[in-house]
Amino acid sequence: MSSSTYKKLVAKQFAQDFKSAIEIVELPIPEPAPDEIVIRNKFAGVNAGFDTLLCRGDVSYVNLTPPFDLGVEAVGEVVAVGSNVTFQVGDAVVTTIRGGGYREYQTINANLAFKVPEATPEVLTLMPTGVSALVALEQVGEMKSQEVVLVTAAAGGTGHIAVQLAKLAGNHVIGTCGSDAKGQLLSELGCDRMINYRKEDLNLVLKQEYPNGVNLVFECVGKQVFDTCVDNLAIRGRLVVVGFVSEYGNNFAQVTQSRIYQKLFWKAASVRGFLMPLYKEYMVEARDRLFNLFYSNKLKVVVDPTEFLGLESIPAAVEYLLSGRNCGKVVVRFIYNLP
């Protein structure tokens, strides 16, 4: 290793927005213990909603006190190994540990790393992003075949994988997006009906073209989109809440309308929440299946082409993702001046 120190991004305090919460700190690179490896991160995936909620102290299943580490998925290269591990220096590995992403180096237990053929940004779209899409659709959404499946924010990192998985399962897939470029991407991925919500009224399209309703909704947006999706559920339809990106950057909207059971009861429909940490037991099988689909060219992975370089670019990457401009997964690339 050329340098004895590395930089990482931490939340130094709770704040309403990501940028106000963070700072970059420099630390010595630790030597690995016998069961550890040291990884030089090459790419990190950006999860703007989770990052923002974490920095606001609004993630209920983790009780953190600042300062704490940020970032989740990363892919990189093993640069040092402990005496008891089977990894070798030069191996490409992916990690999905909270706090392991937004940093140049990480020293972790070898069991927490997963070996991949090459340290490319595409693997960050599969793990944990694609894994979440697969588990949410199958375990929570009880995805079947020959149903109508609606994916919101369908051109995003999670959405574009969900679209393809629903198609591979033999369903009619509707995808919502906010631009022509995203619509073009959805067409290329095999989406049966693309709805650009800036040009068409989502509720009107669903009422007119899908009078029997939608069987399964993979919902990432929230607010009015969520309400519209609930209103258009089919008999025994399932709506899976995967996120609510429209509210991440703001205070949560107060809702004054009749309770949701009025809409669900008469259709025997349901709204279900999905959170990956609460479905850990499905992760390994889902990961292996996704990598098989990807490496056998049955699944296309889209990484947003906008380049974000180094730790300093992460706030801009978070802002970019929250603005909804991305096509596919947003990643940050780390640059090193190695000898």
Side-chain angles (χ1 to χ4, degrees):
M1 289 181 283
S2 63
S3 169
S4 58
T5 63
Y6 75 101
K7 289 185 292 186
K8 69 175 182 176
L9 196 144
V10 298
K12 61 178 176 179
Q13 63 193 29
F14 289 127
Q16 272 302 101
D17 65 295
F18 182 80
K19 200 172 182 177
S20 305
I22 58 152
E23 70 175 345
I24 292 172
V25 295
E26 192 162 344
L27 296 165
I29 299 169
E31 290 295 316
D35 56 354
E36 289 183 332
I37 57 174
V38 181
I39 302 161
R40 182 192 295 124
N41 285 344
K42 196 171 172 186
F43 296 96
V46 178
N47 302 293
F50 182 74
D51 294 336
T52 303
L53 293 177
L54 210 55
C55 287
R56 280 162 42 172
D58 284 343
V59 177
S60 57
Y61 68 92
V62 287
N63 190 13
L64 298 172
T65 307
F68 53 84
D69 295 344
L70 290 162
V72 181
E73 64 269 30
V75 63
E77 184 185 339
V78 175
V79 291
V81 295
S83 54
N84 295 343
V85 304
T86 54
F87 285 105
Q88 296 179 330
V89 170
D91 282 350
V93 290
V94 60
T95 58
T96 56
I97 308 150
R98 186 177 44 76
Y102 298 164
R103 58 200 299 148
E104 294 171 335
Y105 286 79
Q106 51 175 329
T107 302
I108 58 162
N109 187 297
N111 292 335
L112 297 173
F114 177 67
K115 190 174 173 180
V116 289
E118 201 183 341
T120 62
E122 281 77 13
V123 298
L124 300 180
T125 312
L126 297 170
M127 191 180 160
T129 306
V131 171
S132 293
L134 183 59
V135 176
L137 286 168
E138 291 186 351
Q139 303 304 328
V140 189
E142 296 175 41
M143 182 165 68
K144 302 175 176 68
S145 292
Q146 297 178 316
E147 287 192 325
V148 175
V149 178
L150 169 61
V151 179
T152 64
T158 316
H160 86 280
I161 300 289
V163 164
Q164 295 176 82
L165 293 173
K167 281 302 296 176
L168 285 167
N171 293 294
H172 177 97
V173 181
I174 309 164
T176 74
C177 66
S179 74
D180 291 338
K182 293 182 181 192
Q184 179 63 37
L185 170 64
L186 293 179
S187 298
E188 288 165 15
L189 296 178
C191 207
D192 297 288
R193 176 64 161 97
M194 181 275 292
I195 303 171
N196 180 343
Y197 59 81
R198 296 188 201 281
K199 291 184 171 180
E200 293 186 278
D201 184 303
L202 176 60
N203 190 47
L204 205 62
V205 171
L206 294 177
K207 289 268 187 290
Q208 289 178 347
E209 297 180 26
Y210 301 93
N212 294 327
V214 177
N215 304 106
L216 173 59
V217 182
F218 184 92
E219 217 293 89
C220 317
V221 177
K223 283 193 174 174
Q224 190 60 52
V225 172
F226 170 85
D227 295 341
T228 299
C229 290
V230 170
D231 289 343
N232 287 281
L233 281 172
I235 301 287
R236 289 169 66 176
R238 294 91 61 203
L239 183 150
V240 182
V241 179
V242 186
F244 32 95
V245 70
S246 64
E247 298 207 64
Y248 290 156
N250 319 297
N251 291 324
F252 297 133
Q254 297 303 303
V255 180
T256 50
Q257 61 179 30
S258 55
R259 290 203 164 92
I260 198 166
Y261 49 65
Q262 304 270 11
K263 296 176 177 180
L264 301 177
F265 179 76
W266 303 106
K267 295 178 180 176
S270 59
V271 171
R272 308 166 183 191
F274 169 75
L275 194 61
M276 192 64 230
L278 304 181
Y279 281 85
K280 278 197 179 95
E281 68 269 32
Y282 299 103
M283 207 167 150
V284 172
E285 189 276 334
R287 177 196 71 196
D288 292 348
R289 200 150 32 111
L290 274 176
F291 275 95
N292 282 337
L293 286 170
F294 175 62
Y295 288 120
S296 59
N297 296 317
K298 291 179 182 142
L299 189 71
K300 188 178 175 188
V301 164
V302 180
V303 175
D304 187 273
T306 310
E307 199 162 53
F308 296 98
L309 300 177
L311 287 170
E312 295 76 12
S313 73
I314 291 172
V318 167
E319 187 53 46
Y320 174 75
L321 190 46
L322 285 181
S323 75
R325 284 174 286 168
N326 63 300
C327 260
K329 180 80 175 171
V330 175
V331 300
V332 171
R333 181 155 71 97
F334 297 112
I335 307 292
Y336 302 95
N337 297 315
L338 299 172

